[in-house]
Amino acid sequence: MAPLLEVRGLRVTFSGYRGESRVLAGVDLEVGAGEQVGLVGETGCGKSVAMKAILGLLPSPPARVEGEVRFRGRALGPEELRALRGREITMIFQDPMTSLNPVFTIGQQLHDVILRGRKVPPRAAAARARAILREVRLPDPDRVLRAYPFQLSGGMRQRVLIAMALVNEPDLVIADEPGTALDVTIQAQILLLLRDLVERQGISVLLISHNLGVVRQVTRRVCVMYAGTIVEVAPTAALFRTPRHPYTQGLLAAVPKLTGEGVPAGIEGMIPDYVAPPPGCRFAPRCPYAMAVCDTPPPAIPVGPTHQAACWLYSSEAVLASGQAHGHGR
Ligand code: SF4
């Protein structure tokens, strides 16, 4: 069966005064029906650009988008994407204050979303609005419906955004760093709520985050992104147990342990300049294992039944052919 969302060879290039900035260099990813998938990577790696490109939200020009986005096996053009957005595919953005309209009440905004998704009489829309606010565990839904966004706390506004994303029972929710603007305890509550609701309703999720802990809590499978490329894909538990790509290993080594064991180590160097990225593996200038063959982009290589790493270390022929590491990086 075709995955619910399938992205193949997604490339995004921005034209600027310095030249062409090749931000996404051929991203492949898929989300199955009822599956929760994380897209994780450091700030500036292209995660949000990927989300906007998938949703057809990048302005062209300056962006040039190439590749294919298929939903339920059907290739989507800009018109079809627009028709699906807000109904079958919904979004949760990271900042609840800028995602809500300050001059309308929550009730007006929620009714608007409901009526855009389905033809229902006003009384049914009001009942549905109250019910979804209860589902996201907002006390006193009638008071929330009458409130303007500024009258609610950050955590309540984030719950309202989750309500808006789920109210029309979509097939797929794309969530970009939800709760990042909140303190960590409230963020954890929001993420657990999101996980419970989507699991109960069988909704697929693509969760975009720079935070490995967040992705570990909410998803079943993770795609790790580095500088506009997917470098590793694995079931969440396997990724945390045995990360195979040198970048993922570095990311996990940078997370402090609750037990206090070991000293967290950062990854030296910076994300490459997208105007002149390395010709092959984009991680090569920071990789302690870089070798001659890394000047060619590595393919995704299976390292387990459902685990892949885009790294020449796992292609034994390539390693043998290239001889010893030639001393890039640390
Ligand atoms: Fe990239 Fe080569 Fe390092 Fe693998 S060994 S991450 S291909 S530079």
Side-chain angles (χ1 to χ4, degrees), residues 245-246 281 283-284 287 289-291 294 298 310-313:
H245 194 280
C281 173
F283 189 57
C287 179
Y289 310 107
M291 46 199 159
C294 304
C311 174
W312 287 117
L313 285 176

Side-chain angles (χ1 to χ4, degrees), residues 158-178:
Q158 189 74 65
R159 281 171 198 261
V160 168
L161 286 189
I162 293 178
M164 285 180 171
L166 301 185
V167 71
N168 288 331
E169 297 167 353
D171 294 317
L172 173 68
V173 174
I174 301 185
D176 187 10
E177 312 256 12

Side-chain angles (χ1 to χ4, degrees), residues 51 90-94 173-178 194 205-209:
M51 178 191 84
T90 59
M91 293 87 75
I92 301 174
F93 291 104
Q94 49 182 284
V173 174
I174 301 185
D176 187 10
E177 312 256 12
L194 179 65
V205 172
L206 178 61
L207 175 74
I208 293 167
S209 182

